[in-house]
Amino acid sequence: MFGTLFVKRTELYNAFVSASSQPSRQPSDDPSRQPSGAPSQRPSDDASLQAADDLAQRAPAEPSGLSPDDPSELSPDDPSQLSPDDPSELSPDDPSQLSPDDPSQLSPDDPSELSPDDPSELSPDDPSELSPDDPAAAEPGVIPSPPRLHRRRRPSRRTALTLDAIVAAAIETLDEAGVAGLTMRRVADRLGTGAASLYAHVSGRDELLELVFDELVGQVPLPDPDPDRWREQLRQVLLDLYRILNAHADAALAGMGRVATSPRALDATERMVLLMSLGGLTERVIAFGIDQLGLFVCATAFEDGILERSGMSPADEARYWADLHMFLNNLPPDRFPAMARVRPHMVGHGDLERFEFGLDAMLAGLEALSDAERSAAR
């Protein structure tokens, strides 16, 4: 970079010498305007050339030693006078002069003012100032800018962090990993956030499980109580709850061992208690019965989904049941005579049919217990 500036200063200095070697302005024909002591006639061409040669020979060694008697001397009042120490102050009459107002004018001491539009002013020592299209960019030892891959960003899965969004993500995680895999970190990853941000909405995993169960129970339609259809309505509520819990892996475990305290679970419990009251069941039977009915639904839904969560294919599951039925049919009847009599009913029935049987048995048993308790109180 400094070598380039030295070349430019030399070019400007040579321009100054060239301008100084030109013959002086021709004096006016008016004698009153001629300088004092100057001849009235124009000097000969030979004299002018000789004076210019003498000045050019002295200029490099003595740039400031202009003779007062030399006709090429510049008047102090002439705005075109040049300072011998500043080769950048070229005469306005010189077409090579750079205007101070010209933004392309360069300061000899400031390399940062090099014009970016002039490829000749780029420093060969600074690879960052080389234009990509400049042949100098391919010079040996100069490393060009490498190309960059513009990868498309994947769309963010970040969801607005609300309690409803957290519960929905927890249900998806539950379906994917079961209760054992339902962690705050996995739910946060599904939402595209950190686990710590979930604690602003839930206190921890236990509360999250309770909220998941509350959301699933809230999907059960609650009928308007009808005293004439109380048993049918109660049975339908419990059947719908079984189907919803069975549709989500391990979701039934969230309701086991827990007393209903969440809003939707409390609403469902209130409606079922009301239906049982309309059926004439005693208070003790209702209080114990509602607890056992909930446990029966959750336990059956969990058990019926064990094979689905085992990773078995549908073909393997069908083969398992066929082998189990064959095993029961091959039990020796002399050793298991009671089982041999009911064996036809032990095989060939689906989970839903068995659940409905158990539900009817429990409801009938609650009615029988209530009637017995009322009779004993008389």
Side-chain angles (χ1 to χ4, degrees):
M1 182 176 293
F2 291 104
T4 303
L5 296 176
F6 176 78
V7 173
K8 290 193 167 296
R9 292 176 66 95
T10 303
E11 292 175 354
L12 295 174
Y13 182 80
N14 291 338
F16 161 69
V17 173
S18 176
S20 301
S21 64
Q22 299 297 326
S24 63
R25 295 180 181 177
Q26 302 299 330
S28 173
D29 294 337
D30 187 357
S32 63
R33 297 180 58 86
Q34 293 186 8
S36 176
S40 59
Q41 70 277 7
R42 295 176 58 184
S44 64
D45 293 339
D46 294 338
S48 299
L49 294 175
Q50 183 63 34
D53 291 340
D54 293 343
L55 180 59
Q57 293 176 1
R58 293 195 304 271
E62 298 177 341
S64 62
L66 297 178
S67 172
D69 299 330
D70 193 305
S72 63
E73 179 184 7
L74 300 176
S75 171
D77 299 330
D78 188 352
S80 66
Q81 182 174 359
L82 303 178
S83 172
D85 298 329
D86 189 0
S88 66
E89 294 183 5
L90 300 178
S91 169
D93 297 334
D94 189 350
S96 65
Q97 180 181 3
L98 298 177
S99 171
D101 298 329
D102 187 354
S104 65
Q105 182 173 356
L106 305 178
S107 171
D109 299 326
D110 188 1
S112 65
E113 294 182 4
L114 294 176
S115 172
D117 298 328
D118 187 356
S120 66
E121 292 178 359
L122 296 176
S123 169
D125 298 328
D126 189 358
S128 64
E129 294 182 1
L130 294 175
S131 170
D133 299 328
D134 191 346
E139 293 182 1
V142 178
I143 301 177
S145 299
R148 302 295 183 189
L149 293 177
H150 299 283
R151 294 183 174 89
R152 180 180 299 176
R153 292 185 177 181
R154 295 180 179 179
S156 175
R157 294 191 62 189
R158 186 176 294 275
T159 308
L161 198 58
T162 62
L163 187 59
D164 290 341
I166 293 174
V167 173
I171 293 176
E172 294 177 1
T173 305
L174 185 71
D175 291 341
E176 185 179 277
V179 169
L182 179 61
T183 64
M184 300 290 281
R185 181 180 297 276
R186 286 193 176 184
V187 175
D189 290 343
R190 186 174 293 273
L191 292 170
T193 186
S197 61
L198 270 60
Y199 288 95
H201 301 272
V202 294
S203 60
R205 182 176 180 273
D206 287 342
E207 183 182 358
L208 186 59
L209 277 172
E210 183 177 356
L211 292 173
V212 166
F213 186 76
D214 184 71
E215 172 65 24
L216 297 178
V217 172
Q219 298 176 13
V220 177
L222 298 180
D224 294 331
D226 184 353
D228 297 332
R229 300 177 55 245
W230 72 270
R231 182 174 176 178
E232 177 186 350
Q233 290 179 327
L234 179 61
R235 185 179 186 276
Q236 187 62 48
V237 169
L238 295 171
L239 182 60
D240 290 340
L241 178 60
Y242 164 82
R243 288 171 172 166
I244 290 174
L245 294 179
N246 197 34
H248 298 278
D250 286 355
L253 285 178
M256 298 178 65
R258 299 175 184 274
V259 178
T261 57
S262 55
R264 296 175 181 177
L266 287 173
D267 289 340
T269 302
E270 171 68 16
R271 188 64 53 88
M272 288 188 292
V273 168
L274 178 58
L275 290 173
M276 296 170 74
S277 299
L278 294 176
L281 302 183
T282 63
E283 294 178 356
R284 179 177 176 271
V285 170
I286 293 175
F288 286 5
I290 196 67
D291 179 60
Q292 294 302 310
L293 286 171
L295 180 60
F296 170 73
V297 172
C298 291
T300 309
F302 173 75
E303 184 184 60
D304 291 348
I306 289 179
L307 288 181
E308 296 179 5
R309 295 186 298 273
S310 66
M312 296 175 61
S313 66
D316 290 339
E317 185 177 349
R319 188 178 301 110
Y320 167 77
W321 286 115
D323 293 342
L324 179 60
H325 295 166
M326 183 177 295
F327 169 79
L328 294 175
N329 289 330
N330 291 333
L331 288 175
D334 56 340
R335 183 174 178 180
F336 305 101
M339 293 178 60
R341 288 192 298 269
V342 300
R343 184 169 53 196
H345 300 285
M346 295 177 63
V347 297
H349 301 281
D351 294 337
L352 181 59
E353 184 179 356
R354 294 176 183 275
F355 172 77
E356 291 181 310
F357 172 84
L359 186 57
D360 291 337
M362 291 194 71
L363 292 177
L366 292 176
E367 286 186 280
L369 288 173
S370 183
D371 291 341
E373 188 174 275
R374 189 177 294 108
S375 297
R378 291 175 183 172

